[in-house]
Amino acid sequence: MSAEKHILVVEDDISLAEWVSDYLLEHGYQVTVASQGDFALEMIAEEQPDLVLLDVMLPVKNGFDVCKEARAFYAGPILFMTACVEDGDEIQGLEVGADDYLTKPIRPKVMLARIKALLRRAIDDKLKQQLVFESLTLNAAAKSVMVDDELLDLNANEFDVFWLLALQAGKVVTRIDLVSELRGIEYDGLDRSVDIRVSRLRKKLQEAKSQPYKIKTIRGKGYLFCRDDEAML
């Protein structure tokens, strides 16, 4: 879990920062340290660490502000360190985007357990944003589709259709469900916008000859994403 994971420690107490840094290094993490809120924001943006261990009380810019501003460009876990034990501080931290918090004095084993849990959850969340079918990979965060190492030329609307079909791979997805998910309206039996998207998507998918998956039309029912040699499930 810990190998090569990069943790940014943001703490203005030099002795505490050194202690935390040394402890994490001993457990196999890569560690950098920032002592001010403004510096921390720059480092988060530039380095995109796997996790930010963030003190609340910081010079120049406090931890709450750092967390709130960082969430505009950073999706990784943020773990607050605070000497405050009031419920309001915990709530404020969560409201600005923190994932969890530690109270000082820091207990090393508890800190390590929280870090491992957050990193594990971050990996799980990332996997949920990606679907893989042999040589075909869909990435929800980037709205991209790769066939081997080649990017499939899809627009956002085509990707959205593809993602919904791929989530239900091997099962028929009805036009009613597609229209409801994509347009937020009930299917009136006349709307052909989804059919147009599927038609364009199918053509582009067929042109990617190195992958065996197809989108099949199931007459009177909807669409099925599956291997070309698979029967309807």
Side-chain angles (χ1 to χ4, degrees):
M1 165 68 74
S2 61
E4 300 183 355
K5 292 296 182 183
H6 176 202
I7 297 177
L8 173 61
V9 177
V10 187
E11 172 60 67
D12 64 325
D13 182 327
I14 302 302
S15 61
L16 177 58
E18 290 179 350
W19 173 81
V20 170
S21 179
D22 289 343
Y23 184 81
L24 293 175
L25 287 168
E26 289 175 3
H27 285 81
Y29 294 94
Q30 176 189 350
V31 182
T32 52
V33 178
S35 59
Q36 293 185 186
D38 53 341
F39 295 158
L41 272 173
E42 293 177 6
M43 294 175 71
I44 294 170
E46 293 174 4
E47 301 182 16
Q48 291 291 312
D50 294 293
L51 181 142
V52 178
L53 190 55
L54 179 62
D55 186 28
V56 172
M57 302 303 293
L58 294 167
V60 184
K61 193 182 292 285
N62 68 42
F64 294 130
D65 291 337
V66 171
C67 183
K68 184 177 181 179
E69 293 179 35
R71 280 308 183 207
F73 53 80
Y74 177 71
I78 295 177
L79 177 59
F80 266 134
M81 296 184 292
T82 176
C84 303
V85 293
E86 299 295 329
D87 289 345
D89 296 304
E90 178 185 352
I91 292 170
Q92 183 178 356
L94 296 174
E95 286 180 342
V96 297
D99 295 277
D100 202 349
Y101 80 105
L102 294 167
T103 54
K104 296 179 179 179
I106 300 298
R107 292 173 291 169
K109 291 184 179 180
V110 173
M111 176 182 70
L112 191 62
R114 297 281 177 84
I115 288 172
K116 287 181 177 180
L118 288 175
L119 288 173
R120 186 162 49 246
R121 192 174 79 188
I123 292 172
D124 291 342
D125 289 345
K126 187 174 182 180
L127 289 174
K128 290 175 184 176
Q129 295 184 33
Q130 187 166 283
L131 298 174
V132 180
F133 303 91
E134 299 179 35
S135 61
L136 187 68
T137 302
L138 290 79
N139 187 301
K143 284 186 178 288
S144 66
V145 177
M146 301 291 292
V147 179
D148 290 325
D149 295 322
E150 297 292 327
L151 184 66
L152 203 62
D153 182 22
L154 301 182
N155 61 38
N157 288 334
E158 291 162 351
F159 177 85
D160 290 342
V161 172
F162 200 177
W163 182 258
L164 291 174
L165 293 174
L167 282 174
Q168 298 291 322
K171 299 180 180 179
V172 176
V173 182
T174 69
R175 286 186 178 84
I176 293 173
D177 289 338
L178 286 174
V179 171
S180 176
E181 289 287 339
L182 295 168
R183 306 196 64 196
I185 60 176
E186 292 186 7
Y187 181 55
D188 60 5
L190 300 174
D191 192 324
R192 288 291 175 262
S193 61
V194 167
D195 298 315
I196 293 171
R197 293 190 204 185
V198 171
S199 176
R200 291 173 178 169
L201 173 59
R202 178 188 284 132
K203 181 180 179 181
K204 292 178 180 180
L205 195 59
Q206 288 173 341
E207 291 172 353
K209 299 184 184 303
S210 64
Q211 63 80 33
Y213 283 80
K214 307 294 181 184
I215 297 173
K216 300 179 180 181
T217 299
I218 308 302
R219 188 176 298 277
K221 294 183 178 180
Y223 297 101
L224 173 70
F225 175 67
C226 63
R227 282 184 60 95
D228 193 33
D229 55 1
E230 287 180 347
M232 187 180 73
L233 301 179

